[in-house]
Amino acid sequence: MVLNTTCTCNACANLNTLDLKFIVHHGDFAMKEIAGSQELIGPNVNLVFRIAKNRIKETLGLRAYIAYTSDAVEALDLPEFFATLAPLLEDTDEFGTVQLHVEDMHSVWEKRRYESIVVIPESDAWLSFVRDIHAPVGVVWDHLTDPAKRSRLFASDPAGTLTADGGKMGVSGTYVCAHGNMRIPHRIVDWIPLTQYTFQSEGPFFQNLWQFRLNDLGDLTQLHITVGRTRFVPAIGVLASPVWRRYTRKTIIEGLVEFITDVETSHATA
C-alpha cells in the first residue's frame, strides 16, 4: 500500500505505521443484498464490529494481534494452542462481557518472516501428478492436512502426527506415515496455507522431498504433487530405485482416486 498509493492525505501518509488486527469469531449469519453487493448480517456479525473497538492495545500493549472469541476457540478445538494466548474480558453494551484470547502477531511475523519457500526443480522431480478436484481450495487443503484423510494418498494407516505447535501444523511439524510396524516421519519444511506444503520423508533406506501445491480455480482446485529425487542408502540404491519408483507411482495413482472421491463427496454433502 505504501508503494502503490499516490494519495497525500494524513491517513495514507501514515500507512507505514499501521499494523494488522484480526478478530476471529464463529457463529451463524445471513446474507443480504445492500446497494448491489452481498453483505453479512446478524447478531454475530454485529458482535465482531463491537469488539473490533477494544482495549487490547491499552491493556496488553499489542499493536498487531489476532483476538479469538470463546466461540471461535470452541469451534477450532486447539486447547494447547489457546492455552498460550493472553486472556482478556471485553465489555460491550449489546452483548455483555465477551471473553477474548489474544495472540501477538509481531512474534508470529518474526517467527515466519525468514522461512523459505521450497522449490523442487524440474530436473529433480522424480515423480509428478496433476489432478483436478471439484471442490474449493479450502476443502482440499483441509483434507491434505488432516492426518487420517491424507493417509489415503499413501495407502497408510491413519497414525496421526508426532509434533505440532499447540495442535496446529506448520514448519517443523511432523506427520506419521504408518505401514504396519514401519513408521515414516514426514517433517514439514515449508507451509503456505491454502497454497502448498513440502515435507521431507525419511524411510529406513531412503530420503526425499514431497510437495503438495494447490491452484485455486474457484469451485475447482488443481492439485500438483511433486516427489523430489529419492536418495537411497548407497549399498542398495542401484537396486532399490526402479522398484521403489514403480511402487510409489502405483500407490499414489490409486490413492489419488480414493482421496479425490472422498474430497468431492464430502463437499457435495456439506
Side-chain angles (χ1 to χ4, degrees):
M1 291 172 69
V2 171
L3 293 174
N4 288 284
T5 185
T6 58
C7 180
T8 58
C9 76
N10 287 336
C12 290
N14 288 286
L15 279 173
N16 63 328
T17 67
L18 300 180
D19 278 304
L20 287 174
K21 302 174 178 64
F22 300 89
I23 305 294
V24 182
H25 180 54
H26 182 271
D28 297 329
F29 61 89
M31 301 288 292
K32 183 177 181 179
E33 186 171 326
I34 300 176
S37 63
Q38 294 291 323
E39 301 288 345
L40 305 183
I41 62 171
N44 284 300
V45 180
N46 296 338
L47 170 61
V48 173
F49 279 107
R50 299 297 181 271
I51 59 179
K53 295 183 178 180
N54 54 58
R55 299 176 297 107
I56 292 175
K57 180 179 177 181
E58 293 78 8
T59 306
L60 301 177
L62 304 180
R63 289 168 44 86
Y65 58 79
I66 300 182
Y68 300 85
T69 66
S70 293
D71 289 327
V73 169
E74 183 178 353
L76 288 168
D77 192 24
L78 295 169
E80 293 179 29
F81 166 66
F82 286 112
T84 66
L85 306 190
L88 179 69
L89 293 175
E90 193 68 41
D91 295 323
T92 69
D93 293 335
E94 186 177 349
F95 300 96
T97 300
V98 179
Q99 174 72 64
L100 298 178
H101 304 263
V102 187
E103 181 177 21
D104 179 7
M105 286 304 293
H106 277 288
S107 61
V108 174
W109 169 240
E110 289 302 319
K111 179 180 178 181
R112 295 293 299 273
R113 66 187 299 185
Y114 298 114
E115 291 176 0
S116 61
I117 298 174
V118 175
V119 176
I120 300 177
E122 189 173 338
S123 58
D124 282 349
W126 197 52
L127 290 169
S128 61
F129 310 86
V130 181
R131 295 292 188 276
D132 290 339
I133 304 176
H134 293 276
V137 66
V139 176
V140 180
W141 178 263
D142 285 345
H143 279 69
L144 282 176
T145 56
D146 181 287
K149 293 172 182 175
R150 76 189 290 278
S151 67
R152 300 178 190 278
L153 283 171
F154 306 99
S156 63
D157 304 324
T161 60
L162 285 174
T163 61
D165 181 7
K168 300 186 306 173
M169 291 305 295
V171 174
S172 79
T174 304
Y175 287 104
V176 178
C177 186
H179 298 267
N181 293 325
M182 184 168 64
R183 297 289 191 271
I184 302 173
H186 289 179
R187 184 175 60 82
I188 295 170
V189 294
D190 85 347
W191 181 267
I192 310 165
L194 303 180
T195 302
Q196 78 172 37
Y197 72 91
T198 309
F199 60 89
Q200 183 168 290
S201 176
E202 299 180 4
F205 57 88
F206 68 89
Q207 181 185 93
N208 59 15
L209 283 179
W210 288 69
Q211 187 170 89
F212 295 145
R213 183 164 51 86
L214 301 179
N215 186 14
D216 182 1
L217 302 175
D219 287 335
L220 180 74
T221 300
Q222 195 170 71
L223 169 62
H224 297 254
I225 300 177
T226 303
V227 185
R229 191 174 302 280
T230 301
R231 295 173 175 80
F232 292 94
V233 173
I236 65 172
V238 175
L239 296 175
S241 181
V243 175
W244 188 250
R245 189 174 187 274
R246 286 195 298 270
Y247 167 78
T248 303
R249 180 180 176 83
K250 179 177 182 293
T251 299
I252 297 304
I253 288 175
E254 293 175 354
L256 275 167
V257 174
E258 186 175 351
F259 177 80
I260 292 172
T261 300
D262 185 40
V263 174
E264 294 182 342
T265 300
S266 68
H267 173 58
T269 57

